[in-house]
């Protein structure tokens, strides 16, 4: 006979008594359900035990298969089991930095638990979202000063959401919208089936002093520490050491925001905007001074619309097909997706030919840009001494497939440059191309972006890429549009430092010691910073609230470092640690000392990858007989493996699918074989 100890956790009885402990003598052929029945009879309390299950702490696992016998599970006489609720309260910090208390499943794998959380919050496409825990290093840095904004907790059980029936548990699964079986879209707008949802409203910008408390300069090594905290999607919360009332971060993990629809995704778009806003304010992603002002102007506009007295009506938002052309990049898919197609009326692949300037940085060389005649054909750029010599052999041909395309732009100074990082055997070659104007830059930049993915200008996405770049440049311009004039700066109600990062505000204040104006009784702000934000605001002043949020997300996506997660790894055959950046479509090998990219591998060229779980090494094979292998230093290799598999999984989504996910395929691509 087997002796099994079992205990009822504190608060599990109706009266909330302290934990009870029992020692039961049973046989090994008894099934788990029978053990649970004996335990409940022993407790003899009138209580709904339907959500309780057995947790085996010594093995760090749930005993959920009630038809299995104890012998089959390997439960022996020394087993110490805990009879505990599967759903427990959890503190979640949302992308808008607000913390909610929610009852979630601690027994389901994280992939299912996140889907359950997203149903409650009304966030579609939960496969893009996951849970992140603070590492100990991050906690120590953030403990310096408390912030009342971060400490406030909103209890979901106290919210009067129309979707939660009175008295129903927070983990009820009755909150799923009704979808059209043909196109997979909700049959009614967000506002109609979710009522007044508090998560559709943007949070007001923090005062500069509070923002400064949250800010900390992050090196690439710091970012690797943060990214190591993503939870394993194929294991439960309890299995990963998460206890009742612990605090986790709910974040968009995979930066491929599929099928964003303003009419149905009010919460999703708002939380995406908030995550992007905090990335900019806390400088978790690099951007230029010009881009910082553009983001500030959009924040100011959104803040004005959010605090206006007019009610927000999301049901009047345009259908997705009306905004898709202007914001097509919000539906980002991996190469080879269904959203891009060859133009049907094209018989010849389009070409570009222009007089541009070229610069190749070399050591001990101060040579300026030199003018050449450039021809863009297929996925390559050829340049010649002049137009007349373009019928002969080029000086050089640049093959762009697999390269990195980095903007080198300052609209105010009329600087329109493209930085190309071309992969070679021993690293990356840098090439700078300078265009004359916005129109020329938009066409060439769009062609370079497509060519880096192995696509030509014959693809339908070329036109939308050009429009997206032109729209981005217009937002970055600080000069008012024709027919518009900057409003009276002195009459504005703006604390400019709320809309830029603390480092940028400090830098601007020290650079421009100009007279200050008082606003909101919060102190002084340099007049020039306020004026520049107001000038940039003229380009977005006519946008609706949802359009402004979409533009902010679009601009965020256009930043060179968008979506890159960093990890410290050791490549096979190397004697030093390096940094691996993982994005939605590529992996980047980065030198740790210089922080410069060494080479890039695209997922589109990946043939296969696998993990040797014994030595914890990830091996990847690409086209053209290129293979790499590395072990992870800053995290477990499962974290990196899940990112690669997750992005491959998300590339399989298509619009003709319903909201139902192929969870089996996700775990097949991301799960460990340990």
């Amino acid at each position: 006979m087997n002796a099994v100890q079992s205990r009822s956790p504190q608060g599990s009885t109706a009266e909330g008594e302290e934990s009870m402990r029992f020692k039961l003598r049973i046989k090994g052929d008894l099934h788990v359900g029978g053990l649970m029945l004996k335990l409940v009879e022993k407790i003899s309390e009138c209580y709904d035990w339907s959500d309780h299950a057995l947790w085996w702490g010594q093995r760090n696992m749930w005993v959920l298969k009630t038809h299995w016998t104890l012998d089959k599970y390997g439960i022996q006489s020394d087993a110490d089991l805990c009879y505990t609720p599967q759903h427990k309260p959890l503190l979640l910090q949302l992308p808008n930095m607000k913390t909610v208390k929610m009852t979630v499943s601690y027994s389901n794998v994280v992939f299912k638990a996140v889907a359950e959380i997203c149903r409650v919050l009304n966030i579609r496409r939960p496969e893009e979202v996951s849970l992140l825990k603070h590492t100990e290093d991050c906690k120590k840095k953030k403990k310096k000063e408390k912030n009342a904004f971060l400490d406030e907790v909103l209890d979901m059980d106290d919210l009067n959401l129309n979707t939660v029936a009175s008295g129903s548990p927070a983990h009820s699964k009755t909150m799923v919208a009704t979808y059209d079986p043909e196109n997979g879209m909700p049959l009614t707008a967000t506002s109609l089936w979710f009522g007044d949802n508090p998560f559709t409203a943007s949070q007001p910008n923090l005062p500069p002093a509070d923002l400064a408390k949250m800010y900390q300069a992050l090196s690439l090594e710091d970012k690797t520490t943060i990214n190591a905290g993503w939870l394993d999607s194929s294991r439960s919360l309890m299995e990963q050491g998460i206890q009742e009332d612990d605090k986790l971060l709910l974040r968009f993990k995979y930066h491929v925001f599929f099928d964003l629809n303003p009419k149905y995704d009010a919460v999703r778009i708002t939380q995406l905007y908030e995550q992007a806003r905090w990335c900019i304010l806390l400088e978790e992603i690099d951007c230029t001074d010009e881009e910082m002002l553009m983001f500030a102007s959009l924040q100011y506009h959104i803040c004005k619309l959010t605090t206006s007295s007019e009610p927000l009506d999301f049901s009047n938002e345009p259908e997705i097909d009306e905004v898709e052309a202007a914001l097509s990049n919000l539906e980002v898919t991996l190469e080879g997706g269904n959203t891009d197609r060859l133009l049907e009326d094209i018989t010849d692949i389009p070409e570009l030919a222009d007089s541009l300037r070229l610069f190749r940085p070399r050591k001990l060389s101060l040579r300026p840009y030199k003018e050449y005649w450039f021809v863009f054909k297929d996925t390559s750029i050829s340049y010649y001494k002049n137009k007349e010599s373009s019928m002969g052999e080029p000086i050089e041909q640049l093959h762009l497939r697999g390269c990195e395309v980095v903007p080198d732009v300052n609209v105010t100074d009329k600087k329109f440059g493209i930085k190309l990082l071309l992969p070679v055997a021993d690293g990356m070659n840098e090439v700078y191309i300078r265009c004359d104007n916005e129109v020329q830059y938009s066409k060439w930049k769009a062609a370079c972006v497509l060519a880096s993915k192995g696509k030509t200008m014959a693809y339908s996405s070329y036109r939308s890429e050009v429009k997206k770049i032109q729209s981005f440049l217009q937002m970055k311009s600080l000069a008012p549009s024709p027919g518009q004039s900057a409003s009276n700066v002195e009459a504005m109600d703006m604390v400019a430092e709320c809309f830029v990062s603390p480092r940028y505000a400090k830098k601007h204040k020290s650079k421009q010691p100009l007279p200050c104006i008082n606003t909101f009784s919060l102190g002084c702000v340099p007049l020039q910073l306020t004026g520049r934000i107001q000038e940039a605001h003229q380009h977005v002043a006519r946008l609706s609230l949802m359009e402004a949020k979409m533009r902010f997300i679009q601009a965020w996506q256009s930043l060179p470092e968008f979506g890159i997660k960093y990890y410290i790894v050791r490549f096979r055959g190397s004697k030093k640690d390096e940094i691996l950046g993982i994005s939605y479509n590529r992996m980047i090998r980065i030198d740790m000392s210089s922080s410069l990219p060494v080479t890039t591998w695209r997922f589109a060229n990946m043939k296969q990858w696998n993990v040797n779980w014994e030595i914890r090494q990830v091996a990847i094979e690409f086209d053209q007989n290129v293979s790499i292998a590395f072990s992870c230093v800053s995290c477990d290799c499962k974290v990196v493996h899940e990112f690669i598999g997750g992005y491959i999984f998300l590339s399989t989504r298509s619009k003709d699918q319903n909201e139902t996910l192929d969870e089996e395929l996700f775990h097949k691509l991301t799960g460990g074989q340990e």
Side-chain angles (χ1 to χ4, degrees):
M1 298 188 64
N2 296 331
V4 180
Q5 289 183 329
S6 180
R7 58 187 177 184
S8 175
Q10 182 176 357
S12 66
T13 63
E15 294 78 20
E17 297 175 358
E18 293 186 358
S19 298
M20 294 177 286
R21 193 171 183 85
F22 303 96
K23 190 169 184 178
L24 303 177
R25 294 187 64 83
I26 41 81
K27 292 183 178 180
D29 58 0
L30 178 68
H31 54 81
V32 172
L35 173 59
M36 293 166 63
L37 180 60
K38 286 180 177 291
L39 181 59
V40 170
E41 291 174 348
K42 189 85 171 177
I43 296 173
S44 67
E45 291 284 351
C46 184
Y47 186 73
D48 182 3
W49 301 98
S50 59
D51 188 48
H52 281 58
L54 291 171
W55 167 254
W56 193 359
Q58 295 152 304
R59 293 283 185 90
N60 195 41
M61 63 179 287
W62 286 94
V63 183
L64 296 175
K65 296 179 180 179
T66 55
H67 61 285
W68 277 25
T69 64
L70 302 181
D71 285 343
K72 189 171 183 179
Y73 261 116
I75 297 175
Q76 302 295 324
S77 59
D78 61 344
D80 191 1
L81 305 180
C82 180
Y83 193 48
T84 181
Q86 298 178 65
H87 288 81
K88 305 172 186 287
L90 179 70
L91 296 178
L92 287 174
Q93 187 190 77
L94 303 183
N96 63 1
M97 295 293 186
K98 300 297 287 184
T99 301
V100 298
K101 187 174 184 179
M102 183 184 298
T103 304
V104 302
S105 173
Y106 278 65
S107 60
N108 275 337
V109 295
V110 166
F111 186 83
K112 282 187 175 180
V114 169
E116 189 176 321
I117 291 168
C118 290
R119 271 196 294 270
V120 176
L121 298 176
N122 184 23
I123 297 177
R124 288 200 311 142
R125 304 293 178 182
E127 65 273 16
E128 300 168 359
V129 183
S130 193
L131 298 172
L132 179 69
K133 63 179 177 181
H134 272 306
T135 59
E136 291 302 316
D137 291 341
C138 294
K139 287 180 181 178
K140 290 175 184 176
K141 289 182 180 180
K142 301 254 181 179
K143 276 182 181 177
K144 291 186 293 186
E145 293 187 66
K146 288 202 170 186
N147 193 319
F149 173 78
L150 298 178
D151 293 339
E152 182 183 349
V153 177
L154 180 65
D155 196 329
M156 290 294 293
D157 292 336
D158 296 337
L159 288 181
N160 186 24
L161 293 178
N162 292 344
T163 52
V164 183
S166 177
S168 63
H171 55 271
S172 169
K173 296 186 178 181
T174 61
M175 290 170 271
V176 183
T178 305
Y179 294 98
D180 189 316
E182 294 184 2
N183 57 25
M185 299 303 297
L187 293 176
T188 52
T190 299
S191 59
L192 300 182
W193 47 272
F194 262 81
D196 296 327
N197 193 315
F199 307 112
T200 59
S202 301
Q203 295 298 312
N205 284 59
L206 288 183
D210 290 341
L211 185 60
K213 293 177 185 177
M214 299 174 61
Y215 173 78
Q216 59 176 6
L218 293 176
S219 64
L220 280 183
E221 287 86 349
D222 292 330
K223 293 177 181 178
T224 63
T225 303
I226 294 172
N227 292 325
W230 289 105
L231 295 190
D232 188 339
S233 295
S234 58
R235 300 169 64 206
S236 69
L237 292 174
M238 287 275 280
E239 289 172 330
Q240 299 181 69
I242 308 302
Q243 301 298 321
E244 185 174 334
D245 286 327
D246 278 357
K247 186 173 183 177
L248 297 174
L249 312 183
L250 185 73
R251 295 291 185 269
F252 290 89
K253 176 180 179 180
Y254 299 104
H255 287 57
V256 278
F257 314 130
F258 184 75
D259 191 26
L260 268 179
N261 190 323
K263 191 169 184 178
Y264 307 115
D265 286 321
V267 177
R268 184 177 170 214
I269 290 172
T270 296
Q271 296 301 321
L272 261 176
Y273 158 71
E274 290 287 345
Q275 183 164 326
R277 180 170 75 93
W278 285 107
C279 275
I280 301 299
L281 290 177
L282 301 181
E283 292 192 5
E284 294 174 3
I285 186 171
D286 290 337
C287 64
T288 64
D289 291 357
E290 196 174 59
E291 289 162 345
M292 182 68 75
L293 286 172
M294 174 196 64
F295 285 119
S297 67
L298 283 167
Q299 288 180 71
Y300 172 60
H301 183 64
I302 291 169
C303 190
K304 281 180 63 177
L305 294 179
T306 303
T307 56
S308 66
S309 57
E310 297 180 10
L312 304 178
D313 184 6
F314 299 110
S315 61
N316 291 328
E317 290 292 339
E319 293 284 356
I320 189 64
D321 56 349
E322 296 175 10
V323 298
E324 197 172 46
L327 301 172
S328 62
N329 73 310
L330 290 175
E331 183 182 306
V332 183
T333 55
L334 293 177
E335 291 82 357
N338 296 328
T339 58
D340 204 8
R341 64 184 189 283
L342 284 167
L343 297 177
E344 297 175 358
D345 57 345
I346 292 294
T347 54
D348 295 320
I349 296 176
E351 297 182 10
L352 287 177
D354 266 314
S355 179
L356 306 173
R357 285 163 291 165
L358 177 107
F359 170 66
R360 278 184 174 277
R362 291 186 175 89
K363 292 183 178 179
L364 304 177
S365 174
L366 298 175
R367 292 180 60 188
Y369 281 87
K370 189 173 181 180
E371 190 167 343
Y372 295 98
W373 182 257
F374 282 74
V375 176
F376 201 124
K377 187 174 182 180
D378 293 330
T379 59
S380 301
I381 293 178
S382 302
Y383 62 93
Y384 307 82
K385 185 176 182 180
N386 50 47
K387 185 176 181 180
E388 289 71 26
S389 62
S390 61
M391 301 302 294
E393 289 294 318
I395 297 174
E396 186 180 12
Q397 188 174 45
L398 308 175
H399 298 283
L400 270 59
R401 186 183 180 94
C403 77
E404 290 293 305
V405 183
V406 182
D408 183 24
V409 176
N410 189 311
V411 179
T412 307
D413 296 338
K414 302 297 181 183
K415 174 186 173 184
F416 303 100
I418 303 170
K419 177 182 176 182
L420 299 175
L421 298 173
L422 305 169
V424 292
D426 57 346
M428 305 282 277
N429 281 342
E430 288 187 25
V431 176
Y432 290 81
I433 297 175
R434 184 69 62 85
C435 302
D436 294 329
N437 51 57
E438 296 182 21
V439 175
Q440 193 180 63
Y441 170 81
S442 301
K443 292 179 179 178
W444 282 82
K445 167 81 183 303
C448 290
V449 169
L450 262 67
S452 69
K453 304 174 183 178
K455 299 178 181 178
T456 69
M457 288 177 282
Y459 278 79
S460 61
S461 58
Y462 174 69
R463 295 173 184 172
S464 60
E465 186 71 26
V466 172
K467 290 180 181 178
K468 182 192 74 173
I469 295 170
Q470 290 175 339
S471 174
F472 189 52
L473 291 176
Q474 185 182 17
M475 288 193 296
K476 289 175 69 172
S477 174
L478 297 181
S481 302
Q484 291 182 323
S485 59
S487 60
N488 186 354
V489 174
E490 294 185 359
M492 279 176 34
D493 287 336
M494 181 199 296
V495 181
E497 290 173 317
C498 296
F499 303 106
V500 296
S501 72
R503 185 187 64 84
Y504 179 83
K506 185 177 180 181
K507 168 186 170 184
H508 200 284
K509 186 178 290 187
S510 62
K511 186 187 295 186
Q512 302 287 346
L514 298 177
C516 294
I517 58 173
N518 290 317
T519 55
F520 289 149
S521 301
L522 288 177
C524 291
V525 179
L527 178 62
Q528 177 139 351
L529 178 57
T530 307
R532 295 187 74 191
I533 293 176
Q534 182 67 0
E535 287 177 0
H537 176 250
Q538 303 304 313
H539 294 285
V540 298
R542 297 185 180 181
L543 295 177
S544 70
L545 179 61
M546 194 58 69
E547 286 173 338
K549 291 178 182 178
M550 296 279 274
R551 286 291 182 91
F552 195 100
I553 298 169
Q554 177 190 21
W556 179 42
Q557 289 179 298
S558 300
L559 296 178
E561 291 187 12
F562 166 75
I564 301 179
K565 301 292 189 295
Y566 300 98
Y567 297 96
I568 299 176
V569 301
R570 175 74 63 90
F571 282 91
R572 184 172 56 194
S574 176
K575 295 182 179 180
K576 64 177 182 178
D577 292 341
E578 296 175 81
I579 291 178
L580 179 70
I582 303 178
S583 182
Y584 72 93
N585 60 355
R586 67 196 188 281
M587 294 188 298
I588 310 165
R589 185 175 183 173
I590 302 171
D591 183 82
M592 186 177 287
S593 58
S594 65
S595 298
L596 295 176
V598 177
T599 190
T600 297
W601 305 282
R602 291 195 170 269
F603 289 152
N605 302 329
M606 184 189 296
K607 295 174 67 176
Q608 65 176 8
W609 87 98
N610 59 74
V611 180
N612 186 327
W613 297 106
E614 292 184 3
I615 60 175
R616 320 298 290 182
Q617 187 179 76
V618 181
I620 307 175
E621 184 179 342
F622 297 92
D623 292 339
Q624 301 177 346
N625 297 321
V626 176
S627 61
I628 62 172
F630 56 86
S631 56
C632 299
V633 178
S634 63
C635 67
D636 189 90
C637 65
K638 175 65 167 65
V639 179
V640 173
H641 169 59
E642 186 170 312
F643 256 110
I644 297 172
Y647 275 125
I648 299 299
F649 169 76
L650 295 182
S651 70
T652 65
R653 297 180 297 180
S654 62
K655 278 191 171 182
D656 56 357
Q657 291 177 330
N658 207 317
E659 300 290 304
T660 305
L661 287 172
D662 188 349
E663 186 179 343
E664 183 179 350
L665 177 61
F666 176 84
H667 289 303
K668 183 177 180 181
L669 291 171
T670 64
Q673 306 297 322
E674 300 176 79

